[in-house]
């Protein structure tokens, strides 16, 4: 697995994103690797909690724009792009995202797929997809809205602006903030405390809290993914992503 590094520390498993040259952008291989690793840890009866980590600079700067840019609606719908993430969200043992640096687009969405988000004090969160001529497609419009409410989710997604860790904690996206340099040890220590509990009880408790949160989330997520895939039929997606890759401002059609 080249896109991630994994390790175990006693009863805690760590999945560390490992694409430093791309600020841990989430390509399809990364989704496969994370799903496979998490499923492996879940099967292991000694593992009671999973911590997902990025680097100091970026938890993950989004889905991989270079990989996505040439895709069209045909490939998106045929291969059901990013449906693999459903395997990660189906993991029954608790998961913690420990976010330092950027958690943007798919990176913010990956953090929201975890049960608890912890942040370093310099973390930045956002859903900037609208600037690329698309929209969040890995849960952003659904999970973010449930977590922080409609108006705030609209404001963040429609403007695409980044927010700092303090704002993210205030609005309920982030559970706790730690000094950046202590984030990893604090996350591992919280994970170790959770993993000390009855594994079965934590799995049942997690399922119960998810039930409170997820009424018809699966319908919302499928709807969102189909819309995201459909956006690859638009010229705006090509222009938005090309502009990013060519480091220039996007010129969208005005219709
Ligand atoms: N994808 C690919 N490469 C990326 C990337 C990304 N998301 N983000 C950064 N990189 C690459 C940069 O291109 C650069 O590579 P080189 O040019 O050196 O080859 C390298 O990482 C370092 O980035 P920068 O030079 O830009 O670093 P800076 O510190 O100057 O800026 C930044 C950091 C995070 C502000 C900037 O990199 C940035 O704006 N990145 C893009 C953030 C973004 O727009 N993220 C949203 C991506 S779209 C789907 C559902 C959902 C999605 C996809 C599919 N389906 C249902 C199919 C999700 C979509 C997204 O997440």
């Amino acid at each position: 697995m080249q896109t991630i590094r994994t390790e175990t520390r006693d009863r805690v498993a760590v999945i560390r994103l490992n694409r430093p040259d791309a600020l841990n952008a989430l390509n399809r291989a990364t989704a496969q690797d994370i799903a496979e690793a998490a499923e492996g840890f879940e099967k292991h009866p000694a593992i009671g909690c999973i911590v997902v980590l990025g680097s100091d600079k970026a938890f993950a700067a989004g889905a991989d724009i270079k990989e996505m840019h040439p895709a069209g609606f045909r490939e998106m719908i045929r291969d059901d792009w990013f449906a693999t993430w459903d395997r990660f969200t189906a993991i029954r043992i608790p998961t913690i995202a420990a976010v330092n640096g950027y958690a943007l687009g798919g990176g913010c969405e990956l953090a929201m797929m975890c049960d608890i988000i912890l942040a370093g004090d310099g973390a930045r969160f956002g859903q900037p997809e609208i600037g690329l001529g698309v929209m969040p497609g890995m849960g952003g419009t659904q999970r973010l809205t449930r977590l922080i409410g409609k108006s705030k989710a609209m404001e963040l997604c429609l403007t695409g602006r980044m927010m700092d860790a303090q704002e993210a904690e205030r609005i309920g996206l982030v559970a706790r903030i730690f000094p950046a340099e202590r984030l990893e040890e604090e996350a591992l220590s919280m994970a170790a405390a959770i993993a000390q509990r009855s594994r079965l009880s934590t799995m049942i408790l997690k399922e119960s809290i998810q039930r409170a949160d997820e009424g018809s989330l699966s319908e919302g997520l499928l709807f969102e993914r189909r819309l995201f895939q459909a956006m690859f039929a638009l010229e705006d997606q090509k222009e938005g992503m090309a502009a990013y890759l060519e480091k220039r401002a996007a010129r969208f059609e005005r219709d």
Side-chain angles (χ1 to χ4, degrees):
M1 287 184 182
Q2 305 221 315
T3 69
I4 58 171
R5 295 265 180 272
T6 61
E7 62 193 90
T8 56
R9 300 202 191 173
D10 196 15
R11 292 175 58 76
V12 173
V14 176
I15 297 177
R16 201 182 294 270
L17 300 172
N18 184 42
R19 299 191 69 218
D21 295 344
L23 301 186
N24 291 330
L26 303 165
N27 60 9
R28 298 171 81 194
T30 311
Q32 285 284 351
D33 289 348
I34 291 177
E36 209 170 291
E39 285 169 351
F41 290 133
E42 185 185 48
K43 285 197 194 95
H44 202 309
I47 299 297
C49 191
I50 300 173
V51 177
V52 182
L53 285 163
S55 66
D56 291 347
K57 178 160 182 186
F59 178 72
D64 192 318
I65 302 170
K66 289 171 191 163
E67 182 186 57
M68 268 189 303
H69 173 240
F73 180 60
R74 197 175 178 80
E75 296 82 52
M76 284 274 153
I77 195 88
R78 183 193 59 206
D79 302 338
D80 206 2
W81 273 49
F82 285 177
T84 309
W85 290 111
D86 294 347
R87 288 169 55 197
F88 179 65
T89 57
I91 294 299
R92 295 176 68 199
I93 57 175
T95 55
I96 297 176
V99 176
N100 264 333
Y102 297 110
L104 301 177
C108 186
E109 292 168 304
L110 171 58
M112 288 190 287
M113 288 178 209
C114 296
D115 301 316
I116 300 172
I117 305 179
L118 305 178
D121 51 10
R124 315 281 308 271
F125 296 84
Q127 299 289 161
E129 292 90 343
I130 195 69
L132 299 170
V134 291
M135 62 180 240
M138 280 162 50
T141 67
Q142 304 299 301
R143 291 199 178 91
L144 190 66
T145 307
R146 281 158 202 253
L147 281 168
I148 68 174
K150 182 185 110 174
S151 177
K152 196 79 184 170
M154 284 278 190
E155 187 254 327
L156 285 165
C157 293
L158 288 172
T159 65
R161 79 172 171 90
M162 290 188 216
M163 69 179 148
D164 60 24
Q166 292 68 28
E167 181 178 357
E169 186 193 33
R170 198 173 66 244
I171 64 177
L173 178 66
V174 160
R176 293 183 64 188
I177 302 178
F178 298 100
E181 64 282 4
R182 273 193 22 228
L183 176 69
E184 184 169 334
E185 87 185 67
E186 294 285 356
L188 290 172
S189 144
M190 185 181 289
I194 291 170
Q196 283 310 314
R197 309 289 186 190
S198 150
R199 188 175 195 258
L200 205 50
S201 300
T202 58
M203 286 164 66
I204 295 168
L205 171 57
K206 167 172 172 163
E207 196 169 26
S208 184
I209 294 179
Q210 280 176 327
R211 198 49 38 141
D213 202 33
E214 290 188 3
S216 61
L217 181 63
S218 57
E219 281 306 306
L221 289 173
L222 183 60
F223 182 68
E224 178 194 75
R225 190 158 75 233
R226 291 289 178 251
L227 290 178
F228 185 93
Q229 291 161 341
M231 285 174 130
F232 283 71
L234 296 177
E235 178 53 35
D236 304 49
Q237 173 268 329
K238 290 286 167 289
E239 167 58 14
M241 293 191 180
Y244 173 78
L245 296 173
E246 292 159 20
K247 303 184 191 301
R248 61 172 173 80
R251 292 183 292 269
F252 295 120
E253 291 292 324
R254 298 277 161 249
D255 47 15

